[in-house]
mmCIF file of all heavy atoms in Angstrom:
data_model
loop_
_atom_site.group_PDB
_atom_site.id
_atom_site.type_symbol
_atom_site.label_atom_id
_atom_site.label_comp_id
_atom_site.label_asym_id
_atom_site.label_seq_id
_atom_site.Cartn_x
_atom_site.Cartn_y
_atom_site.Cartn_z
ATOM 1 N N LEU A 19 30.335 28.778 40.300
ATOM 2 C CA LEU A 19 29.710 27.786 39.277
ATOM 3 C C LEU A 19 30.321 26.509 39.588
ATOM 4 O O LEU A 19 31.499 26.324 40.092
ATOM 5 C CB LEU A 19 30.037 28.218 37.875
ATOM 6 C CG LEU A 19 29.251 29.509 37.409
ATOM 7 C CD1 LEU A 19 29.841 29.910 36.066
ATOM 8 C CD2 LEU A 19 27.839 29.396 37.421
ATOM 9 N N THR A 20 29.530 25.417 39.379
ATOM 10 C CA THR A 20 30.005 24.031 39.462
ATOM 11 C C THR A 20 29.792 23.383 38.104
ATOM 12 O O THR A 20 28.798 23.301 37.668
ATOM 13 C CB THR A 20 29.170 23.264 40.460
ATOM 14 O OG1 THR A 20 29.244 24.064 41.726
ATOM 15 C CG2 THR A 20 29.664 21.927 40.764
ATOM 16 N N PRO A 21 30.974 22.824 37.589
ATOM 17 C CA PRO A 21 32.327 23.052 38.037
ATOM 18 C C PRO A 21 32.792 24.449 37.549
ATOM 19 O O PRO A 21 32.061 25.121 36.717
ATOM 20 C CB PRO A 21 33.116 22.036 37.179
ATOM 21 C CG PRO A 21 32.363 21.814 35.993
ATOM 22 C CD PRO A 21 30.871 21.962 36.331
ATOM 23 N N VAL A 22 33.788 25.009 38.144
ATOM 24 C CA VAL A 22 34.338 26.347 37.934
ATOM 25 C C VAL A 22 34.802 26.408 36.541
ATOM 26 O O VAL A 22 35.597 25.521 36.064
ATOM 27 C CB VAL A 22 35.400 26.705 39.027
ATOM 28 C CG1 VAL A 22 35.918 28.091 38.746
ATOM 29 C CG2 VAL A 22 34.700 26.642 40.308
ATOM 30 N N PRO A 23 34.421 27.500 35.753
ATOM 31 C CA PRO A 23 35.069 27.610 34.455
ATOM 32 C C PRO A 23 36.588 27.699 34.504
ATOM 33 O O PRO A 23 37.126 28.188 35.495
ATOM 34 C CB PRO A 23 34.393 28.932 33.934
ATOM 35 C CG PRO A 23 33.097 28.980 34.637
ATOM 36 C CD PRO A 23 33.475 28.369 36.057
ATOM 37 N N PRO A 24 37.270 27.296 33.429
ATOM 38 C CA PRO A 24 38.722 27.043 33.497
ATOM 39 C C PRO A 24 39.619 28.259 33.564
ATOM 40 O O PRO A 24 40.750 28.212 33.983
ATOM 41 C CB PRO A 24 39.094 26.184 32.241
ATOM 42 C CG PRO A 24 37.874 26.569 31.337
ATOM 43 C CD PRO A 24 36.707 26.859 32.143
ATOM 44 N N VAL A 25 39.178 29.387 33.129
ATOM 45 C CA VAL A 25 40.106 30.559 32.919
ATOM 46 C C VAL A 25 39.932 31.491 34.100
ATOM 47 O O VAL A 25 38.976 32.103 34.376
ATOM 48 C CB VAL A 25 39.735 31.253 31.601
ATOM 49 C CG1 VAL A 25 40.631 32.465 31.403
ATOM 50 C CG2 VAL A 25 39.849 30.484 30.379
ATOM 51 N N HIS A 26 41.082 31.622 34.821
ATOM 52 C CA HIS A 26 41.107 32.625 35.912
ATOM 53 C C HIS A 26 41.291 33.957 35.408
ATOM 54 O O HIS A 26 42.003 34.271 34.467
ATOM 55 C CB HIS A 26 42.321 32.253 36.799
ATOM 56 C CG HIS A 26 42.360 30.993 37.490
ATOM 57 N ND1 HIS A 26 41.862 30.813 38.803
ATOM 58 C CD2 HIS A 26 42.760 29.720 37.016
ATOM 59 C CE1 HIS A 26 41.950 29.486 38.973
ATOM 60 N NE2 HIS A 26 42.476 28.851 38.006
ATOM 61 N N LEU A 27 40.636 34.958 36.044
ATOM 62 C CA LEU A 27 40.914 36.424 35.647
ATOM 63 C C LEU A 27 41.360 37.143 36.868
ATOM 64 O O LEU A 27 41.230 36.700 38.046
ATOM 65 C CB LEU A 27 39.469 36.948 35.160
ATOM 66 C CG LEU A 27 38.842 36.331 33.921
ATOM 67 C CD1 LEU A 27 37.494 36.838 33.626
ATOM 68 C CD2 LEU A 27 39.797 36.453 32.758
ATOM 69 N N ALA A 28 41.909 38.286 36.612
ATOM 70 C CA ALA A 28 42.521 39.136 37.630
ATOM 71 C C ALA A 28 41.401 39.623 38.498
ATOM 72 O O ALA A 28 41.614 39.800 39.741
ATOM 73 C CB ALA A 28 43.290 40.229 37.037
ATOM 74 N N THR A 29 40.180 39.794 38.113
ATOM 75 C CA THR A 29 39.039 40.355 38.794
ATOM 76 C C THR A 29 38.338 39.267 39.443
ATOM 77 O O THR A 29 37.577 38.520 38.689
ATOM 78 C CB THR A 29 38.127 41.331 37.979
ATOM 79 O OG1 THR A 29 38.962 42.262 37.330
ATOM 80 C CG2 THR A 29 37.111 41.862 38.812
ATOM 81 N N LYS A 30 38.530 38.910 40.704
ATOM 82 C CA LYS A 30 37.815 37.799 41.277
ATOM 83 C C LYS A 30 36.394 38.254 41.707
ATOM 84 O O LYS A 30 36.351 39.485 41.993
ATOM 85 C CB LYS A 30 38.544 37.291 42.567
ATOM 86 C CG LYS A 30 39.921 36.675 42.290
ATOM 87 C CD LYS A 30 40.515 36.252 43.450
ATOM 88 C CE LYS A 30 41.963 35.583 43.138
ATOM 89 N NZ LYS A 30 42.595 35.177 44.265
ATOM 90 N N PRO A 31 35.391 37.565 41.539
ATOM 91 C CA PRO A 31 35.335 36.028 41.472
ATOM 92 C C PRO A 31 35.003 35.761 40.009
ATOM 93 O O PRO A 31 34.370 34.761 39.722
ATOM 94 C CB PRO A 31 34.097 35.813 42.365
ATOM 95 C CG PRO A 31 33.205 36.956 42.179
ATOM 96 C CD PRO A 31 34.119 38.186 42.068
ATOM 97 N N GLN A 32 35.347 36.586 39.051
ATOM 98 C CA GLN A 32 35.026 36.374 37.557
ATOM 99 C C GLN A 32 35.868 35.117 37.093
ATOM 100 O O GLN A 32 36.978 34.936 37.501
ATOM 101 C CB GLN A 32 35.393 37.561 36.714
ATOM 102 C CG GLN A 32 34.430 38.679 36.997
ATOM 103 C CD GLN A 32 34.873 39.877 36.133
ATOM 104 O OE1 GLN A 32 35.822 39.835 35.307
ATOM 105 N NE2 GLN A 32 34.137 40.957 36.229
ATOM 106 N N ARG A 33 35.195 34.279 36.336
ATOM 107 C CA ARG A 33 35.903 33.107 35.659
ATOM 108 C C ARG A 33 35.362 33.100 34.200
ATOM 109 O O ARG A 33 34.336 33.659 33.912
ATOM 110 C CB ARG A 33 35.501 31.879 36.295
ATOM 111 C CG ARG A 33 35.980 31.668 37.697
ATOM 112 C CD ARG A 33 37.586 31.768 37.769
ATOM 113 N NE ARG A 33 38.123 30.534 37.137
ATOM 114 C CZ ARG A 33 38.611 29.481 37.806
ATOM 115 N NH1 ARG A 33 38.642 29.415 39.179
ATOM 116 N NH2 ARG A 33 39.144 28.488 37.149
ATOM 117 N N ALA A 34 36.168 32.573 33.334
ATOM 118 C CA ALA A 34 35.811 32.721 31.910
ATOM 119 C C ALA A 34 36.064 31.315 31.214
ATOM 120 O O ALA A 34 36.711 30.408 31.672
ATOM 121 C CB ALA A 34 36.660 33.731 31.182
ATOM 122 N N LEU A 35 35.524 31.301 29.962
ATOM 123 C CA LEU A 35 35.723 30.153 29.118
ATOM 124 C C LEU A 35 36.121 30.793 27.699
ATOM 125 O O LEU A 35 35.472 31.619 27.236
ATOM 126 C CB LEU A 35 34.367 29.327 28.866
ATOM 127 C CG LEU A 35 34.385 28.271 27.776
ATOM 128 C CD1 LEU A 35 35.311 27.170 28.279
ATOM 129 C CD2 LEU A 35 33.011 27.745 27.572
ATOM 130 N N ASP A 36 37.243 30.374 27.215
ATOM 131 C CA ASP A 36 37.649 30.723 25.892
ATOM 132 C C ASP A 36 37.325 29.661 24.866
ATOM 133 O O ASP A 36 37.519 28.508 25.120
ATOM 134 C CB ASP A 36 39.222 30.851 25.800
ATOM 135 C CG ASP A 36 39.739 32.118 26.692
ATOM 136 O OD1 ASP A 36 38.864 33.038 26.814
ATOM 137 O OD2 ASP A 36 40.942 32.120 26.989
ATOM 138 N N VAL A 37 36.663 29.993 23.764
ATOM 139 C CA VAL A 37 36.233 29.149 22.731
ATOM 140 C C VAL A 37 36.917 29.519 21.510
ATOM 141 O O VAL A 37 36.765 30.620 20.937
ATOM 142 C CB VAL A 37 34.708 29.193 22.556
ATOM 143 C CG1 VAL A 37 34.217 28.233 21.524
ATOM 144 C CG2 VAL A 37 34.054 28.968 23.946
ATOM 145 N N ARG A 38 37.672 28.545 20.962
ATOM 146 C CA ARG A 38 38.316 28.781 19.612
ATOM 147 C C ARG A 38 37.631 27.887 18.636
ATOM 148 O O ARG A 38 36.956 26.896 18.940
ATOM 149 C CB ARG A 38 39.787 28.306 19.732
ATOM 150 C CG ARG A 38 40.535 29.337 20.550
ATOM 151 C CD ARG A 38 41.885 28.910 20.928
ATOM 152 N NE ARG A 38 42.569 29.810 21.772
ATOM 153 C CZ ARG A 38 42.466 29.996 23.061
ATOM 154 N NH1 ARG A 38 41.492 29.298 23.735
ATOM 155 N NH2 ARG A 38 43.143 30.948 23.707
ATOM 156 N N GLU A 39 37.728 28.179 17.321
ATOM 157 C CA GLU A 39 37.109 27.504 16.239
ATOM 158 C C GLU A 39 37.356 26.010 16.315
ATOM 159 O O GLU A 39 36.524 25.156 16.054
ATOM 160 C CB GLU A 39 37.617 28.088 14.838
ATOM 161 C CG GLU A 39 36.732 27.408 13.705
ATOM 162 C CD GLU A 39 37.146 28.110 12.398
ATOM 163 O OE1 GLU A 39 37.923 29.062 12.328
ATOM 164 O OE2 GLU A 39 36.625 27.616 11.383
ATOM 165 N N ARG A 40 38.571 25.613 16.595
ATOM 166 C CA ARG A 40 38.935 24.163 16.567
ATOM 167 C C ARG A 40 38.525 23.465 17.779
ATOM 168 O O ARG A 40 38.555 22.213 17.952
ATOM 169 C CB ARG A 40 40.427 23.996 16.462
ATOM 170 C CG ARG A 40 41.334 24.579 17.626
ATOM 171 C CD ARG A 40 42.816 24.418 17.458
ATOM 172 N NE ARG A 40 43.484 24.850 18.665
ATOM 173 C CZ ARG A 40 43.801 26.111 18.923
ATOM 174 N NH1 ARG A 40 43.449 27.111 18.085
ATOM 175 N NH2 ARG A 40 44.418 26.441 19.981
ATOM 176 N N ASP A 41 38.025 24.233 18.889
ATOM 177 C CA ASP A 41 37.608 23.523 20.181
ATOM 178 C C ASP A 41 36.229 22.847 19.946
ATOM 179 O O ASP A 41 35.361 23.252 19.055
ATOM 180 C CB ASP A 41 37.354 24.653 21.175
ATOM 181 C CG ASP A 41 38.746 25.262 21.667
ATOM 182 O OD1 ASP A 41 39.720 24.617 21.387
ATOM 183 O OD2 ASP A 41 38.588 26.317 22.346
ATOM 184 N N THR A 42 36.019 21.747 20.803
ATOM 185 C CA THR A 42 34.810 21.068 20.804
ATOM 186 C C THR A 42 34.101 21.724 22.050
ATOM 187 O O THR A 42 34.560 21.537 23.169
ATOM 188 C CB THR A 42 34.960 19.654 20.993
ATOM 189 O OG1 THR A 42 35.777 19.008 19.953
ATOM 190 C CG2 THR A 42 33.648 18.901 21.133
ATOM 191 N N LEU A 43 32.911 22.358 21.755
ATOM 192 C CA LEU A 43 32.309 23.042 22.779
ATOM 193 C C LEU A 43 31.351 22.105 23.535
ATOM 194 O O LEU A 43 30.529 21.414 22.916
ATOM 195 C CB LEU A 43 31.489 24.206 22.284
ATOM 196 C CG LEU A 43 30.592 25.040 23.252
ATOM 197 C CD1 LEU A 43 31.491 25.735 24.297
ATOM 198 C CD2 LEU A 43 29.773 26.016 22.397
ATOM 199 N N ASP A 44 31.439 22.038 24.858
ATOM 200 C CA ASP A 44 30.524 21.208 25.625
ATOM 201 C C ASP A 44 29.275 22.079 25.862
ATOM 202 O O ASP A 44 29.237 22.809 26.862
ATOM 203 C CB ASP A 44 31.238 20.849 26.966
ATOM 204 C CG ASP A 44 30.497 19.931 27.842
ATOM 205 O OD1 ASP A 44 29.141 19.807 27.584
ATOM 206 O OD2 ASP A 44 30.958 19.273 28.675
ATOM 207 N N GLU A 45 28.359 21.934 24.976
ATOM 208 C CA GLU A 45 27.187 22.739 25.020
ATOM 209 C C GLU A 45 26.315 22.473 26.302
ATOM 210 O O GLU A 45 25.735 23.354 26.819
ATOM 211 C CB GLU A 45 26.276 22.425 23.811
ATOM 212 C CG GLU A 45 26.921 22.871 22.487
ATOM 213 C CD GLU A 45 26.126 22.630 21.313
ATOM 214 O OE1 GLU A 45 24.842 22.412 21.374
ATOM 215 O OE2 GLU A 45 26.645 22.465 20.180
ATOM 216 N N ALA A 46 26.334 21.277 26.818
ATOM 217 C CA ALA A 46 25.524 20.963 27.922
ATOM 218 C C ALA A 46 26.227 21.616 29.179
ATOM 219 O O ALA A 46 25.464 22.177 30.061
ATOM 220 C CB ALA A 46 25.491 19.469 28.320
ATOM 221 N N GLN A 47 27.480 21.671 29.269
ATOM 222 C CA GLN A 47 28.247 22.350 30.393
ATOM 223 C C GLN A 47 27.986 23.800 30.323
ATOM 224 O O GLN A 47 27.702 24.499 31.274
ATOM 225 C CB GLN A 47 29.680 22.120 30.270
ATOM 226 C CG GLN A 47 30.467 22.741 31.415
ATOM 227 C CD GLN A 47 30.036 22.207 32.728
ATOM 228 O OE1 GLN A 47 30.459 21.109 33.133
ATOM 229 N NE2 GLN A 47 29.281 23.086 33.498
ATOM 230 N N LEU A 48 27.980 24.449 29.075
ATOM 231 C CA LEU A 48 27.829 25.869 29.007
ATOM 232 C C LEU A 48 26.330 26.232 29.391
ATOM 233 O O LEU A 48 26.157 27.203 30.122
ATOM 234 C CB LEU A 48 28.094 26.239 27.536
ATOM 235 C CG LEU A 48 27.832 27.780 27.252
ATOM 236 C CD1 LEU A 48 28.630 28.625 28.198
ATOM 237 C CD2 LEU A 48 28.120 28.070 25.851
ATOM 238 N N ALA A 49 25.428 25.424 28.936
ATOM 239 C CA ALA A 49 24.104 25.615 29.275
ATOM 240 C C ALA A 49 23.824 25.555 30.845
ATOM 241 O O ALA A 49 23.099 26.284 31.447
ATOM 242 C CB ALA A 49 23.075 24.563 28.635
#
């Protein structure tokens, strides 16, 4: 993905995004 999601996982090539209640979600980026 471009840009690459920020969370590295042990299983490559998986990448993740953690979303907490206090976070501001970039809806356009997620879409």
Side-chain angles (χ1 to χ4, degrees):
L19 296 172
T20 303
V22 177
V25 180
H26 296 267
L27 299 174
T29 308
K30 294 181 182 178
Q32 295 179 356
R33 294 297 294 259
L35 174 68
D36 291 338
V37 181
R38 291 168 180 77
E39 185 175 356
R40 68 183 181 275
D41 293 344
T42 300
L43 180 62
D44 184 341
E45 294 177 25
Q47 181 61 74
L48 179 57

